[in-house]
Amino acid sequence: MPPTTLQTPVGTTLAYVHTQGRTPTLVFLPGFRSDMTGEKATMLAAHAQSLGHASLRLDYSGHGASTGAFEHGTIGLWTQDALQIIDHATQGPLLIVGSSMGGWIALLAALARPARTTALVGIAPAPDFTETLIWQNLDQPARAVLQRDGALRTPSPHGSDQVITAALIEEARNHLLLNAPIPLACPVRLLHGLRDADVPWQTSLTLADRLQSPNVLLTLIKDGEHRLSRPQDLALLRATIDELLTA
């Protein structure tokens, strides 16, 4: 299905795919430099369709089929992108699934729409990663370059170098979650691989502790890596979704 587009007030064109069905709508939020064509996003959409549920997958500005420069993006902007599409394309209850950075954005979206969020799933969720995994791991010379030039090019284990901007780091400090209780009451499921080389599994442990919901389950996959896109990982995600839909 080709994506639908939504024009934002600032002139960005956001791309998304929405399929009709009953609620809750299954919403997938991708990670940093990822998009809605990935295995988890497309599997979730297909699974929702098989169950007769509506689904929504999307690209933030500067990602995938959406316009805008990736280097201009921030956590706040990408969260706003997600909320604009959610509010435009869907009505009623939501089951929000977020992968890596999308797990952070899923938490922020759920906090912004608590009455609509019936459940949340974080796949190797990465709240606060700009601070704990980027800024705190930069040495002083790298921090000086970032502050002087406004951007820093760093090697990526997934291909070409990635650009980290000072704006990304600084704006994200308005959205940090792990230093205080997180006032979400809905059921939350966290899936994390013990072999995750990008986001430590301890992040999910901290997140589970900070969430105020009494209904939080963390599943650790002993041989799981960051993407959690193997057939057995996708089967676990489907089972997790099914459990939440029938609870």
Coordinates of all heavy atoms in Angstrom, one line a residue, residues 95-178:
L95 N -2.9 1.2 20.7 CA -1.9 0.3 21.3 C -0.6 0.7 20.6 O -0.4 0.5 19.4 CB -2.2 -1.2 21.0 CG -1.4 -2.2 21.9 CD1 -2.0 -3.6 21.8 CD2 0.0 -2.3 21.5
I96 N 0.3 1.4 21.3 CA 1.4 2.0 20.7 C 2.7 1.1 20.9 O 3.0 0.7 22.0 CB 1.7 3.4 21.3 CG1 0.5 4.3 21.2 CG2 2.9 4.1 20.6 CD1 0.6 5.7 21.8
V97 N 3.4 0.8 19.8 CA 4.6 0.0 19.8 C 5.7 0.9 19.3 O 5.6 1.5 18.2 CB 4.4 -1.2 18.9 CG1 5.6 -2.1 18.9 CG2 3.2 -2.0 19.3
G98 N 6.8 0.9 20.0 CA 7.9 1.7 19.7 C 9.2 0.9 19.7 O 9.4 0.2 20.7
S99 N 10.1 1.1 18.7 CA 11.3 0.4 18.7 C 12.5 1.3 18.9 O 12.6 2.3 18.2 CB 11.5 -0.3 17.3 OG 12.7 -1.0 17.2
S100 N 13.4 1.0 19.8 CA 14.6 1.8 20.1 C 14.2 3.3 20.4 O 13.4 3.5 21.3 CB 15.5 1.7 18.9 OG 16.8 2.2 19.2
M101 N 14.6 4.3 19.6 CA 14.2 5.6 19.8 C 12.7 5.7 19.8 O 12.1 6.5 20.5 CB 14.8 6.6 18.8 CG 14.4 8.0 19.0 SD 14.9 9.2 17.7 CE 13.7 8.8 16.4
G102 N 12.1 4.9 18.9 CA 10.6 4.9 18.9 C 10.0 4.5 20.2 O 8.8 4.9 20.5
G103 N 10.7 3.8 21.0 CA 10.2 3.5 22.4 C 10.1 4.7 23.2 O 9.2 4.9 24.0
W104 N 11.1 5.6 23.1 CA 11.0 6.9 23.8 C 9.9 7.7 23.3 O 9.1 8.3 24.1 CB 12.4 7.6 23.6 CG 12.6 8.9 24.3 CD1 11.8 9.5 25.3 CD2 13.8 9.7 24.3 NE1 12.3 10.6 25.8 CE2 13.6 10.8 25.2 CE3 15.0 9.6 23.6 CZ2 14.5 11.8 25.4 CZ3 15.9 10.6 23.8 CH2 15.7 11.7 24.7
I105 N 9.8 7.8 21.9 CA 8.7 8.6 21.4 C 7.3 8.0 21.7 O 6.3 8.7 21.9 CB 8.9 8.8 19.8 CG1 10.2 9.6 19.6 CG2 7.7 9.4 19.2 CD1 10.5 9.8 18.2
A106 N 7.2 6.7 21.8 CA 6.0 6.0 22.2 C 5.6 6.5 23.6 O 4.4 6.8 23.9 CB 6.1 4.5 22.1
L107 N 6.6 6.5 24.5 CA 6.3 7.0 25.9 C 5.8 8.4 25.9 O 4.8 8.7 26.6 CB 7.5 6.8 26.7 CG 8.0 5.4 27.1 CD1 9.5 5.4 27.5 CD2 7.1 4.8 28.1
L108 N 6.5 9.3 25.1 CA 6.1 10.7 25.1 C 4.7 10.8 24.5 O 3.9 11.7 24.9 CB 7.1 11.5 24.3 CG 8.5 11.6 25.0 CD1 9.5 12.2 24.0 CD2 8.5 12.3 26.3
A109 N 4.4 10.1 23.4 CA 3.1 10.1 22.8 C 2.0 9.6 23.7 O 0.9 10.2 23.8 CB 3.1 9.3 21.5
A110 N 2.3 8.5 24.5 CA 1.3 8.0 25.5 C 1.1 9.0 26.6 O -0.1 9.2 27.0 CB 1.8 6.7 26.0
L111 N 2.1 9.7 27.0 CA 2.0 10.7 28.0 C 1.1 11.9 27.5 O 0.4 12.5 28.3 CB 3.3 11.2 28.5 CG 4.1 10.2 29.4 CD1 5.6 10.7 29.5 CD2 3.5 10.1 30.7
A112 N 1.3 12.2 26.2 CA 0.5 13.3 25.6 C -1.0 12.9 25.3 O -1.8 13.7 25.3 CB 1.2 13.7 24.3
R113 N -1.2 11.6 25.2 CA -2.6 11.1 24.9 C -2.9 9.9 25.8 O -3.2 8.8 25.4 CB -2.7 10.6 23.4 CG -2.3 11.6 22.3 CD -3.3 12.8 22.2 NE -3.0 13.7 21.1 CZ -2.2 14.7 21.3 NH1 -1.7 15.1 22.5 NH2 -2.0 15.5 20.3
P114 N -2.9 10.2 27.1 CA -3.1 9.1 28.1 C -4.5 8.4 28.0 O -4.6 7.2 28.2 CB -2.9 9.7 29.4 CG -3.1 11.2 29.2 CD -2.7 11.4 27.8
A115 N -5.5 9.2 27.7 CA -6.9 8.7 27.6 C -7.1 7.8 26.4 O -8.0 6.9 26.5 CB -7.9 9.8 27.6
R116 N -6.3 7.9 25.4 CA -6.4 7.1 24.2 C -5.5 5.8 24.3 O -5.7 4.9 23.5 CB -6.1 7.9 23.0 CG -7.0 9.0 22.7 CD -6.8 9.7 21.3 NE -7.0 8.7 20.3 CZ -6.6 8.9 19.0 NH1 -6.0 10.0 18.7 NH2 -6.8 8.0 18.1
T117 N -4.5 5.9 25.1 CA -3.5 4.8 25.0 C -3.9 3.6 25.9 O -3.9 3.8 27.2 CB -2.1 5.3 25.5 OG1 -1.7 6.4 24.6 CG2 -1.0 4.2 25.3
T118 N -4.2 2.5 25.4 CA -4.7 1.3 26.1 C -3.5 0.5 26.6 O -3.7 -0.3 27.6 CB -5.7 0.5 25.3 OG1 -5.0 0.0 24.1 CG2 -6.9 1.3 24.9
A119 N -2.4 0.5 25.8 CA -1.3 -0.3 26.2 C -0.1 0.2 25.4 O -0.3 0.9 24.3 CB -1.5 -1.8 25.9
L120 N 1.1 -0.2 25.8 CA 2.4 0.3 25.1 C 3.4 -0.9 25.1 O 3.5 -1.6 26.1 CB 2.9 1.5 25.9 CG 4.1 2.2 25.2 CD1 4.1 3.7 25.6 CD2 5.5 1.6 25.8
V121 N 4.0 -1.0 24.0 CA 5.1 -2.0 23.9 C 6.4 -1.3 23.5 O 6.4 -0.6 22.5 CB 4.8 -3.1 22.9 CG1 5.9 -4.1 22.7 CG2 3.5 -3.8 23.2
G122 N 7.5 -1.5 24.2 CA 8.8 -1.0 23.9 C 9.7 -2.1 23.5 O 9.9 -3.1 24.2
I123 N 10.2 -2.0 22.3 CA 11.2 -3.0 21.7 C 12.6 -2.4 21.8 O 12.9 -1.5 21.1 CB 10.9 -3.4 20.3 CG1 9.4 -3.8 20.1 CG2 11.8 -4.5 19.8 CD1 8.9 -3.8 18.7
A124 N 13.4 -2.9 22.7 CA 14.7 -2.3 23.0 C 14.6 -0.8 23.2 O 15.2 0.0 22.5 CB 15.7 -2.7 21.9
P125 N 13.6 -0.4 24.0 CA 13.3 1.1 24.1 C 14.6 1.9 24.6 O 15.4 1.4 25.4 CB 12.2 1.1 25.1 CG 12.4 -0.1 26.0 CD 12.9 -1.2 25.0
A126 N 14.7 3.1 24.0 CA 15.9 3.9 24.3 C 15.5 5.3 24.8 O 16.0 6.3 24.3 CB 16.7 4.0 23.0
P127 N 14.7 5.4 25.8 CA 14.5 6.7 26.4 C 15.8 7.3 26.9 O 16.6 6.6 27.4 CB 13.5 6.5 27.6 CG 13.7 5.0 27.9 CD 14.0 4.3 26.6
D128 N 15.9 8.6 26.7 CA 17.1 9.4 27.2 C 18.4 9.0 26.5 O 19.5 9.4 27.0 CB 17.2 9.2 28.7 CG 16.0 9.7 29.5 OD1 15.0 10.0 28.9 OD2 16.1 9.7 30.7
F129 N 18.3 8.3 25.3 CA 19.6 7.9 24.7 C 20.5 9.0 24.3 O 21.7 8.9 24.3 CB 19.3 7.0 23.5 CG 19.0 7.7 22.3 CD1 19.9 8.0 21.3 CD2 17.7 8.1 22.0 CE1 19.6 8.7 20.1 CE2 17.3 8.7 20.8 CZ 18.3 9.0 19.9
T130 N 19.9 10.2 24.0 CA 20.8 11.3 23.6 C 21.7 11.7 24.7 O 22.8 12.2 24.5 CB 19.9 12.5 23.2 OG1 19.0 12.7 24.2 CG2 19.2 12.2 21.9
E131 N 21.2 11.6 25.9 CA 22.0 12.0 27.1 C 22.9 10.8 27.6 O 24.1 11.0 27.8 CB 21.1 12.4 28.2 CG 21.8 13.2 29.3 CD 22.2 14.6 28.9 OE1 21.7 15.1 27.8 OE2 23.0 15.2 29.6
T132 N 22.3 9.6 27.8 CA 23.0 8.6 28.5 C 23.9 7.8 27.5 O 24.9 7.2 27.9 CB 22.0 7.6 29.1 OG1 21.1 7.1 28.1 CG2 21.2 8.3 30.2
L133 N 23.5 7.7 26.2 CA 24.3 6.9 25.3 C 25.2 7.7 24.3 O 26.1 7.2 23.7 CB 23.4 6.0 24.5 CG 22.5 5.0 25.3 CD1 21.7 4.1 24.4 CD2 23.4 4.2 26.3
I134 N 24.8 9.0 24.2 CA 25.6 9.9 23.3 C 26.4 10.9 24.1 O 27.7 10.8 24.2 CB 24.7 10.6 22.2 CG1 24.0 9.5 21.4 CG2 25.6 11.5 21.4 CD1 23.1 10.1 20.3
W135 N 25.8 11.8 24.7 CA 26.5 12.9 25.4 C 27.4 12.4 26.5 O 28.6 12.8 26.5 CB 25.5 13.9 26.0 CG 26.1 15.0 26.7 CD1 26.2 15.2 28.1 CD2 26.9 16.1 26.2 NE1 26.9 16.3 28.4 CE2 27.3 16.9 27.3 CE3 27.2 16.5 24.9 CZ2 28.1 18.1 27.0 CZ3 27.9 17.7 24.7 CH2 28.4 18.4 25.8
Q136 N 27.0 11.5 27.3 CA 27.8 11.0 28.4 C 29.0 10.2 27.9 O 29.9 10.0 28.7 CB 26.9 10.3 29.4 CG 26.0 11.2 30.2 CD 25.1 10.4 31.2 OE1 25.3 9.2 31.5 NE2 24.1 11.1 31.7
N137 N 28.9 9.7 26.7 CA 30.0 8.9 26.1 C 31.0 9.7 25.3 O 31.9 9.1 24.7 CB 29.4 7.7 25.4 CG 28.8 6.6 26.3 OD1 29.4 6.4 27.4 ND2 27.8 6.0 25.9
L138 N 30.7 11.0 25.1 CA 31.6 11.8 24.3 C 32.7 12.3 25.2 O 32.5 12.8 26.3 CB 30.8 13.0 23.7 CG 29.8 12.7 22.6 CD1 29.1 14.0 22.2 CD2 30.4 12.0 21.4
D139 N 34.0 12.2 24.6 CA 35.1 12.8 25.4 C 35.1 14.3 25.2 O 34.3 14.9 24.4 CB 36.4 12.2 25.0 CG 36.7 12.4 23.5 OD1 36.1 13.3 22.9 OD2 37.5 11.6 23.0
Q140 N 35.9 15.0 26.0 CA 35.9 16.5 26.0 C 36.2 17.1 24.6 O 35.5 18.0 24.2 CB 36.8 17.0 27.0 CG 36.6 18.5 27.4 CD 35.2 18.8 27.8 OE1 34.6 18.1 28.6 NE2 34.5 19.8 27.2
P141 N 37.1 16.6 23.8 CA 37.4 17.1 22.5 C 36.1 17.0 21.6 O 35.8 17.9 20.8 CB 38.5 16.3 21.9 CG 39.3 15.9 23.2 CD 38.2 15.6 24.2
A142 N 35.4 15.8 21.6 CA 34.2 15.6 20.8 C 33.1 16.6 21.3 O 32.4 17.2 20.4 CB 33.8 14.2 20.9
R143 N 33.0 16.8 22.6 CA 32.0 17.8 23.0 C 32.3 19.2 22.6 O 31.4 19.9 22.2 CB 31.9 17.7 24.6 CG 31.3 16.5 25.1 CD 31.2 16.5 26.7 NE 30.6 15.3 27.2 CZ 30.3 15.2 28.5 NH1 30.6 16.1 29.4 NH2 29.8 14.0 28.9
A144 N 33.6 19.5 22.5 CA 34.0 20.8 22.1 C 33.7 21.0 20.6 O 33.2 22.1 20.2 CB 35.5 21.0 22.3
V145 N 33.9 20.0 19.8 CA 33.6 20.1 18.4 C 32.1 20.3 18.2 O 31.6 21.1 17.4 CB 34.0 18.8 17.6 CG1 33.5 18.8 16.2 CG2 35.6 18.8 17.6
L146 N 31.3 19.5 18.9 CA 29.8 19.6 18.8 C 29.3 20.9 19.2 O 28.5 21.5 18.5 CB 29.2 18.5 19.8 CG 27.7 18.4 19.7 CD1 27.2 17.9 18.3 CD2 27.2 17.4 20.8
Q147 N 29.9 21.5 20.3 CA 29.4 22.8 20.7 C 29.9 23.9 19.8 O 29.3 24.9 19.6 CB 29.9 23.0 22.2 CG 29.2 22.1 23.2 CD 29.7 22.1 24.6 OE1 30.9 22.3 24.8 NE2 28.9 21.9 25.6
R148 N 31.1 23.7 19.2 CA 31.7 24.8 18.3 C 31.0 24.8 17.0 O 30.6 25.8 16.5 CB 33.2 24.5 18.2 CG 33.9 25.6 17.3 CD 35.3 25.1 16.9 NE 35.2 24.0 16.0 CZ 36.0 23.0 16.0 NH1 37.0 22.9 16.9 NH2 35.9 22.0 15.1
D149 N 30.8 23.6 16.4 CA 30.3 23.4 15.0 C 28.8 23.2 15.0 O 28.2 23.3 13.9 CB 31.0 22.3 14.3 CG 32.5 22.5 14.2 OD1 32.9 23.7 14.4 OD2 33.3 21.6 14.0
G150 N 28.2 22.8 16.1 CA 26.8 22.5 16.1 C 26.5 21.1 15.6 O 25.3 20.7 15.6
A151 N 27.5 20.3 15.2 CA 27.3 19.0 14.7 C 28.5 18.2 14.9 O 29.6 18.7 14.9 CB 26.8 19.0 13.3
L152 N 28.4 16.9 15.0 CA 29.5 16.0 15.1 C 29.2 14.7 14.3 O 28.1 14.1 14.4 CB 29.7 15.6 16.6 CG 30.8 14.6 16.9 CD1 32.2 15.2 16.7 CD2 30.7 14.1 18.3
R153 N 30.1 14.3 13.4 CA 30.0 13.1 12.6 C 30.6 11.9 13.3 O 31.8 12.0 13.7 CB 30.6 13.3 11.2 CG 30.3 12.2 10.2 CD 30.7 12.6 8.8 NE 30.0 13.8 8.3 CZ 28.9 13.8 7.7 NH1 28.3 12.6 7.5 NH2 28.3 14.9 7.3
T154 N 29.8 10.9 13.6 CA 30.3 9.8 14.3 C 30.1 8.5 13.5 O 29.1 8.4 12.8 CB 29.6 9.6 15.7 OG1 28.2 9.4 15.4 CG2 29.7 10.9 16.5
P155 N 31.0 7.5 13.7 CA 30.8 6.2 13.0 C 29.5 5.5 13.4 O 29.1 5.6 14.6 CB 32.0 5.4 13.4 CG 33.0 6.4 13.9 CD 32.2 7.5 14.5
S156 N 28.9 4.8 12.5 CA 27.7 4.1 12.8 C 27.9 2.6 12.6 O 28.5 2.3 11.5 CB 26.5 4.6 12.0 OG 25.4 3.7 12.1
P157 N 27.5 1.7 13.5 CA 27.7 0.3 13.2 C 26.8 -0.2 12.1 O 26.9 -1.4 11.7 CB 27.4 -0.3 14.6 CG 26.5 0.6 15.2 CD 26.9 2.0 14.8
H158 N 25.8 0.6 11.7 CA 24.8 0.2 10.7 C 25.1 0.7 9.3 O 24.2 0.7 8.5 CB 23.4 0.6 11.2 CG 23.1 0.1 12.6 ND1 23.1 -1.2 12.9 CD2 22.9 0.8 13.7 CE1 22.8 -1.4 14.2 NE2 22.7 -0.2 14.7
G159 N 26.3 1.3 9.1 CA 26.6 1.8 7.7 C 27.3 3.1 7.7 O 28.3 3.3 8.5
S160 N 26.8 4.1 7.0 CA 27.5 5.4 6.8 C 27.5 6.1 8.1 O 26.7 5.9 9.0 CB 26.8 6.2 5.7 OG 25.5 6.4 6.1
D161 N 28.4 7.0 8.3 CA 28.5 7.8 9.5 C 27.2 8.5 9.8 O 26.4 8.9 8.8 CB 29.6 8.9 9.3 CG 31.0 8.3 9.4 OD1 31.1 7.1 9.6 OD2 32.0 9.0 9.1
Q162 N 26.9 8.8 11.0 CA 25.7 9.5 11.4 C 26.1 10.8 12.0 O 27.2 11.0 12.6 CB 24.9 8.7 12.4 CG 25.5 8.5 13.8 CD 24.7 7.6 14.7 OE1 23.8 6.9 14.2 NE2 25.0 7.6 15.9
V163 N 25.3 11.8 11.8 CA 25.5 13.2 12.2 C 24.7 13.4 13.5 O 23.5 13.2 13.5 CB 25.1 14.2 11.2 CG1 25.3 15.6 11.7 CG2 26.0 14.0 9.9
I164 N 25.3 13.8 14.6 CA 24.7 14.2 15.8 C 24.8 15.7 15.9 O 25.9 16.2 15.8 CB 25.4 13.5 17.0 CG1 25.4 12.0 16.9 CG2 24.7 13.9 18.3 CD1 24.0 11.4 16.8
T165 N 23.7 16.3 16.1 CA 23.7 17.8 16.3 C 23.5 18.2 17.7 O 23.0 17.5 18.5 CB 22.5 18.4 15.5 OG1 21.3 18.0 16.1 CG2 22.5 17.9 14.0
A166 N 24.1 19.4 18.0 CA 23.9 20.0 19.3 C 22.4 20.2 19.6 O 22.0 20.0 20.8 CB 24.7 21.3 19.4
A167 N 21.6 20.6 18.6 CA 20.2 20.8 18.8 C 19.5 19.5 19.3 O 18.6 19.5 20.1 CB 19.6 21.3 17.5
L168 N 19.9 18.3 18.7 CA 19.3 17.1 19.1 C 19.6 16.8 20.6 O 18.7 16.5 21.3 CB 19.9 15.9 18.3 CG 19.5 14.5 18.7 CD1 18.0 14.3 18.4 CD2 20.3 13.5 18.0
I169 N 20.8 17.0 21.0 CA 21.2 16.8 22.4 C 20.5 17.7 23.3 O 19.9 17.3 24.3 CB 22.7 16.9 22.6 CG1 23.5 15.9 21.7 CG2 23.1 16.7 24.1 CD1 23.3 14.4 22.0
E170 N 20.5 19.0 23.0 CA 20.0 20.0 23.9 C 18.5 20.0 24.0 O 17.9 20.1 25.1 CB 20.5 21.4 23.4 CG 22.1 21.6 23.6 CD 22.6 22.7 22.8 OE1 21.8 23.5 22.2 OE2 23.9 22.9 22.8
E171 N 17.8 19.9 22.8 CA 16.4 19.9 22.9 C 15.8 18.6 23.6 O 14.8 18.7 24.3 CB 15.8 19.9 21.4 CG 14.3 20.3 21.3 CD 13.4 19.1 21.5 OE1 13.9 17.9 21.4 OE2 12.2 19.3 21.7
A172 N 16.5 17.5 23.5 CA 16.1 16.3 24.1 C 16.1 16.4 25.7 O 15.3 15.7 26.3 CB 17.0 15.1 23.7
R173 N 16.8 17.3 26.2 CA 16.8 17.5 27.7 C 15.5 18.0 28.2 O 15.2 17.9 29.4 CB 17.9 18.4 28.1 CG 19.3 17.8 27.9 CD 20.5 18.7 28.1 NE 21.7 18.0 27.9 CZ 22.8 18.5 27.5 NH1 22.9 19.8 27.1 NH2 23.9 17.7 27.3
N174 N 14.6 18.4 27.3 CA 13.2 18.8 27.7 C 12.3 17.6 27.8 O 11.2 17.7 28.3 CB 12.6 19.8 26.6 CG 13.4 21.1 26.5 OD1 13.8 21.6 27.5 ND2 13.6 21.5 25.3
H175 N 12.8 16.4 27.4 CA 12.0 15.2 27.3 C 12.6 14.0 28.0 O 12.1 12.9 27.8 CB 11.8 14.9 25.8 CG 11.3 16.0 25.0 ND1 10.0 16.6 25.1 CD2 11.9 16.8 24.0 CE1 9.9 17.6 24.2 NE2 11.0 17.7 23.6
L176 N 13.6 14.2 28.8 CA 14.2 13.1 29.5 C 13.2 12.5 30.5 O 12.4 13.2 31.2 CB 15.4 13.6 30.3 CG 16.6 14.1 29.4 CD1 17.7 14.6 30.3 CD2 17.0 13.1 28.4
L177 N 13.2 11.2 30.7 CA 12.1 10.5 31.4 C 12.7 9.7 32.6 O 11.9 9.4 33.6 CB 11.3 9.6 30.5 CG 10.5 10.2 29.4 CD1 9.9 9.1 28.6 CD2 9.4 11.1 30.0
L178 N 13.9 9.2 32.6 CA 14.3 8.2 33.5 C 14.8 8.7 34.9 O 15.1 7.9 35.7 CB 15.5 7.4 32.9 CG 15.1 6.6 31.6 CD1 16.3 5.8 31.1 CD2 13.9 5.7 31.9

